[in-house]
């Protein structure tokens, strides 16, 4: 079960505004995507921080490690709409990334 409000319909402006503030995140269908450069140690630290935040928000991100990058997908690929929980987690991931890697 996914928690959070639906962002489709009248709330689509909310998602556009959130993506404008969350630089680097893109919308791919009904998912949010971010690719972050980091080394293996930073990836491990970031992944743990994401897990803690995701558990709190009851959101299940998909995290993949490829060629020195960490790819994060939020939302479900089966067509469920992006929720405010997904957007909140994206913001927390940005904070965690800055803490782990430093400002870019």
């Amino acid at each position: 079960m996914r928690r959070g409000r639906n962002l489709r319909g009248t709330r689509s402006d909310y998602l556009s505004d959130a993506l404008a503030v969350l630089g680097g995140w893109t919308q791919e269908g009904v998912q949010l995507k971010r690719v972050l450069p980091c080394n293996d140690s930073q990836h491990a630290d970031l992944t743990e921080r994401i897990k803690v935040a995701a558990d709190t928000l009851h959101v299940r991100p998909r995290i993949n490690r490829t060629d020195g990058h960490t790819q994060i997908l939020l939302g479900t690929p089966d067509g469920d709409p992006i929720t405010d929980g997904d957007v909140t987690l994206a913001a927390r991931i940005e904070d965690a990334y800055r803490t782990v890697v430093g400002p870019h």
Side-chain angles (χ1 to χ4, degrees), residues 14-32:
Y14 170 81
L15 180 57
S16 297
D17 291 346
L19 288 173
V21 172
L22 295 170
W25 286 89
T26 58
Q27 183 178 0
E28 294 190 359
V30 292
Q31 295 184 315
L32 297 178

PDB file of all heavy atoms in Angstrom, residues 14-32:
ATOM      1  N   TYR A  14       1.560  21.182  -8.876  1.00  0.00           N
ATOM      2  CA  TYR A  14       2.388  20.898  -7.698  1.00  0.00           C
ATOM      3  C   TYR A  14       3.611  20.090  -8.107  1.00  0.00           C
ATOM      4  O   TYR A  14       4.726  20.392  -7.697  1.00  0.00           O
ATOM      5  CB  TYR A  14       1.556  20.147  -6.659  1.00  0.00           C
ATOM      6  CG  TYR A  14       2.355  19.586  -5.512  1.00  0.00           C
ATOM      7  CD1 TYR A  14       2.741  20.399  -4.447  1.00  0.00           C
ATOM      8  CD2 TYR A  14       2.730  18.247  -5.479  1.00  0.00           C
ATOM      9  CE1 TYR A  14       3.474  19.899  -3.387  1.00  0.00           C
ATOM     10  CE2 TYR A  14       3.464  17.742  -4.430  1.00  0.00           C
ATOM     11  CZ  TYR A  14       3.830  18.560  -3.388  1.00  0.00           C
ATOM     12  OH  TYR A  14       4.561  18.058  -2.345  1.00  0.00           O
ATOM     13  N   LEU A  15       3.418  19.064  -8.926  1.00  0.00           N
ATOM     14  CA  LEU A  15       4.532  18.231  -9.365  1.00  0.00           C
ATOM     15  C   LEU A  15       5.498  19.041 -10.218  1.00  0.00           C
ATOM     16  O   LEU A  15       6.705  18.947 -10.032  1.00  0.00           O
ATOM     17  CB  LEU A  15       4.023  17.013 -10.133  1.00  0.00           C
ATOM     18  CG  LEU A  15       5.089  16.054 -10.638  1.00  0.00           C
ATOM     19  CD1 LEU A  15       5.958  15.545  -9.500  1.00  0.00           C
ATOM     20  CD2 LEU A  15       4.454  14.901 -11.384  1.00  0.00           C
ATOM     21  N   SER A  16       4.990  19.850 -11.114  1.00  0.00           N
ATOM     22  CA  SER A  16       5.867  20.691 -11.944  1.00  0.00           C
ATOM     23  C   SER A  16       6.687  21.636 -11.076  1.00  0.00           C
ATOM     24  O   SER A  16       7.888  21.815 -11.300  1.00  0.00           O
ATOM     25  CB  SER A  16       5.039  21.499 -12.946  1.00  0.00           C
ATOM     26  OG  SER A  16       4.381  20.642 -13.835  1.00  0.00           O
ATOM     27  N   ASP A  17       6.038  22.250 -10.089  1.00  0.00           N
ATOM     28  CA  ASP A  17       6.750  23.147  -9.172  1.00  0.00           C
ATOM     29  C   ASP A  17       7.809  22.402  -8.381  1.00  0.00           C
ATOM     30  O   ASP A  17       8.923  22.883  -8.203  1.00  0.00           O
ATOM     31  CB  ASP A  17       5.771  23.824  -8.206  1.00  0.00           C
ATOM     32  CG  ASP A  17       4.854  24.817  -8.895  1.00  0.00           C
ATOM     33  OD1 ASP A  17       5.132  25.186 -10.055  1.00  0.00           O
ATOM     34  OD2 ASP A  17       3.847  25.203  -8.270  1.00  0.00           O
ATOM     35  N   ALA A  18       7.464  21.213  -7.901  1.00  0.00           N
ATOM     36  CA  ALA A  18       8.413  20.418  -7.109  1.00  0.00           C
ATOM     37  C   ALA A  18       9.620  20.031  -7.949  1.00  0.00           C
ATOM     38  O   ALA A  18      10.765  20.119  -7.494  1.00  0.00           O
ATOM     39  CB  ALA A  18       7.727  19.170  -6.555  1.00  0.00           C
ATOM     40  N   LEU A  19       9.394  19.632  -9.190  1.00  0.00           N
ATOM     41  CA  LEU A  19      10.508  19.244 -10.063  1.00  0.00           C
ATOM     42  C   LEU A  19      11.395  20.437 -10.388  1.00  0.00           C
ATOM     43  O   LEU A  19      12.604  20.290 -10.540  1.00  0.00           O
ATOM     44  CB  LEU A  19       9.982  18.588 -11.344  1.00  0.00           C
ATOM     45  CG  LEU A  19       9.401  17.189 -11.166  1.00  0.00           C
ATOM     46  CD1 LEU A  19       8.768  16.706 -12.458  1.00  0.00           C
ATOM     47  CD2 LEU A  19      10.460  16.212 -10.691  1.00  0.00           C
ATOM     48  N   ALA A  20      10.806  21.618 -10.465  1.00  0.00           N
ATOM     49  CA  ALA A  20      11.600  22.817 -10.720  1.00  0.00           C
ATOM     50  C   ALA A  20      12.538  23.097  -9.549  1.00  0.00           C
ATOM     51  O   ALA A  20      13.683  23.514  -9.734  1.00  0.00           O
ATOM     52  CB  ALA A  20      10.687  24.013 -10.970  1.00  0.00           C
ATOM     53  N   VAL A  21      12.069  22.858  -8.329  1.00  0.00           N
ATOM     54  CA  VAL A  21      12.882  23.082  -7.133  1.00  0.00           C
ATOM     55  C   VAL A  21      13.899  21.954  -6.949  1.00  0.00           C
ATOM     56  O   VAL A  21      15.024  22.190  -6.523  1.00  0.00           O
ATOM     57  CB  VAL A  21      11.972  23.200  -5.884  1.00  0.00           C
ATOM     58  CG1 VAL A  21      12.791  23.243  -4.611  1.00  0.00           C
ATOM     59  CG2 VAL A  21      11.088  24.427  -5.992  1.00  0.00           C
ATOM     60  N   LEU A  22      13.513  20.751  -7.288  1.00  0.00           N
ATOM     61  CA  LEU A  22      14.386  19.581  -7.126  1.00  0.00           C
ATOM     62  C   LEU A  22      15.198  19.376  -8.399  1.00  0.00           C
ATOM     63  O   LEU A  22      14.985  18.426  -9.140  1.00  0.00           O
ATOM     64  CB  LEU A  22      13.557  18.326  -6.833  1.00  0.00           C
ATOM     65  CG  LEU A  22      12.793  18.319  -5.524  1.00  0.00           C
ATOM     66  CD1 LEU A  22      11.829  17.144  -5.486  1.00  0.00           C
ATOM     67  CD2 LEU A  22      13.763  18.251  -4.358  1.00  0.00           C
ATOM     68  N   GLY A  23      16.134  20.253  -8.656  1.00  0.00           N
ATOM     69  CA  GLY A  23      16.953  20.154  -9.852  1.00  0.00           C
ATOM     70  C   GLY A  23      17.607  18.789  -9.983  1.00  0.00           C
ATOM     71  O   GLY A  23      18.066  18.210  -9.009  1.00  0.00           O
ATOM     72  N   GLY A  24      17.592  18.259 -11.186  1.00  0.00           N
ATOM     73  CA  GLY A  24      18.211  16.968 -11.436  1.00  0.00           C
ATOM     74  C   GLY A  24      17.224  15.820 -11.480  1.00  0.00           C
ATOM     75  O   GLY A  24      17.512  14.773 -12.045  1.00  0.00           O
ATOM     76  N   TRP A  25      16.056  15.994 -10.894  1.00  0.00           N
ATOM     77  CA  TRP A  25      15.016  14.960 -10.939  1.00  0.00           C
ATOM     78  C   TRP A  25      14.226  15.144 -12.222  1.00  0.00           C
ATOM     79  O   TRP A  25      13.917  16.259 -12.625  1.00  0.00           O
ATOM     80  CB  TRP A  25      14.079  15.062  -9.739  1.00  0.00           C
ATOM     81  CG  TRP A  25      14.710  14.584  -8.474  1.00  0.00           C
ATOM     82  CD1 TRP A  25      15.439  15.323  -7.599  1.00  0.00           C
ATOM     83  CD2 TRP A  25      14.686  13.259  -7.950  1.00  0.00           C
ATOM     84  NE1 TRP A  25      15.876  14.545  -6.555  1.00  0.00           N
ATOM     85  CE2 TRP A  25      15.424  13.270  -6.749  1.00  0.00           C
ATOM     86  CE3 TRP A  25      14.122  12.058  -8.368  1.00  0.00           C
ATOM     87  CZ2 TRP A  25      15.607  12.125  -5.969  1.00  0.00           C
ATOM     88  CZ3 TRP A  25      14.297  10.930  -7.601  1.00  0.00           C
ATOM     89  CH2 TRP A  25      15.031  10.964  -6.419  1.00  0.00           C
ATOM     90  N   THR A  26      13.905  14.028 -12.863  1.00  0.00           N
ATOM     91  CA  THR A  26      13.087  14.072 -14.065  1.00  0.00           C
ATOM     92  C   THR A  26      11.877  13.168 -13.875  1.00  0.00           C
ATOM     93  O   THR A  26      11.917  12.214 -13.092  1.00  0.00           O
ATOM     94  CB  THR A  26      13.877  13.607 -15.306  1.00  0.00           C
ATOM     95  OG1 THR A  26      14.370  12.274 -15.079  1.00  0.00           O
ATOM     96  CG2 THR A  26      15.031  14.554 -15.598  1.00  0.00           C
ATOM     97  N   GLN A  27      10.832  13.484 -14.592  1.00  0.00           N
ATOM     98  CA  GLN A  27       9.646  12.634 -14.565  1.00  0.00           C
ATOM     99  C   GLN A  27       9.682  11.753 -15.792  1.00  0.00           C
ATOM    100  O   GLN A  27       9.821  12.240 -16.914  1.00  0.00           O
ATOM    101  CB  GLN A  27       8.378  13.474 -14.555  1.00  0.00           C
ATOM    102  CG  GLN A  27       7.125  12.635 -14.464  1.00  0.00           C
ATOM    103  CD  GLN A  27       5.856  13.465 -14.397  1.00  0.00           C
ATOM    104  OE1 GLN A  27       5.897  14.688 -14.411  1.00  0.00           O
ATOM    105  NE2 GLN A  27       4.730  12.799 -14.317  1.00  0.00           N
ATOM    106  N   GLU A  28       9.591  10.454 -15.554  1.00  0.00           N
ATOM    107  CA  GLU A  28       9.530   9.485 -16.640  1.00  0.00           C
ATOM    108  C   GLU A  28       8.242   8.710 -16.472  1.00  0.00           C
ATOM    109  O   GLU A  28       8.168   7.781 -15.660  1.00  0.00           O
ATOM    110  CB  GLU A  28      10.745   8.564 -16.607  1.00  0.00           C
ATOM    111  CG  GLU A  28      12.035   9.290 -16.903  1.00  0.00           C
ATOM    112  CD  GLU A  28      13.215   8.372 -17.105  1.00  0.00           C
ATOM    113  OE1 GLU A  28      13.064   7.139 -17.005  1.00  0.00           O
ATOM    114  OE2 GLU A  28      14.302   8.900 -17.376  1.00  0.00           O
ATOM    115  N   GLY A  29       7.222   9.120 -17.195  1.00  0.00           N
ATOM    116  CA  GLY A  29       5.906   8.515 -17.036  1.00  0.00           C
ATOM    117  C   GLY A  29       5.366   8.815 -15.654  1.00  0.00           C
ATOM    118  O   GLY A  29       5.200   9.972 -15.297  1.00  0.00           O
ATOM    119  N   VAL A  30       5.138   7.767 -14.871  1.00  0.00           N
ATOM    120  CA  VAL A  30       4.608   7.949 -13.520  1.00  0.00           C
ATOM    121  C   VAL A  30       5.686   7.713 -12.469  1.00  0.00           C
ATOM    122  O   VAL A  30       5.393   7.320 -11.340  1.00  0.00           O
ATOM    123  CB  VAL A  30       3.391   7.022 -13.265  1.00  0.00           C
ATOM    124  CG1 VAL A  30       2.216   7.450 -14.119  1.00  0.00           C
ATOM    125  CG2 VAL A  30       3.758   5.568 -13.515  1.00  0.00           C
ATOM    126  N   GLN A  31       6.929   7.968 -12.840  1.00  0.00           N
ATOM    127  CA  GLN A  31       8.041   7.808 -11.907  1.00  0.00           C
ATOM    128  C   GLN A  31       8.921   9.054 -11.917  1.00  0.00           C
ATOM    129  O   GLN A  31       8.995   9.769 -12.913  1.00  0.00           O
ATOM    130  CB  GLN A  31       8.899   6.596 -12.274  1.00  0.00           C
ATOM    131  CG  GLN A  31       8.169   5.279 -12.133  1.00  0.00           C
ATOM    132  CD  GLN A  31       9.092   4.115 -12.405  1.00  0.00           C
ATOM    133  OE1 GLN A  31       9.862   4.107 -13.357  1.00  0.00           O
ATOM    134  NE2 GLN A  31       9.013   3.114 -11.556  1.00  0.00           N
ATOM    135  N   LEU A  32       9.579   9.282 -10.790  1.00  0.00           N
ATOM    136  CA  LEU A  32      10.619  10.299 -10.691  1.00  0.00           C
ATOM    137  C   LEU A  32      11.957   9.593 -10.742  1.00  0.00           C
ATOM    138  O   LEU A  32      12.131   8.524 -10.142  1.00  0.00           O
ATOM    139  CB  LEU A  32      10.496  11.072  -9.372  1.00  0.00           C
ATOM    140  CG  LEU A  32       9.225  11.878  -9.172  1.00  0.00           C
ATOM    141  CD1 LEU A  32       9.243  12.551  -7.796  1.00  0.00           C
ATOM    142  CD2 LEU A  32       9.071  12.922 -10.260  1.00  0.00           C
TER     143      LEU A  32
END
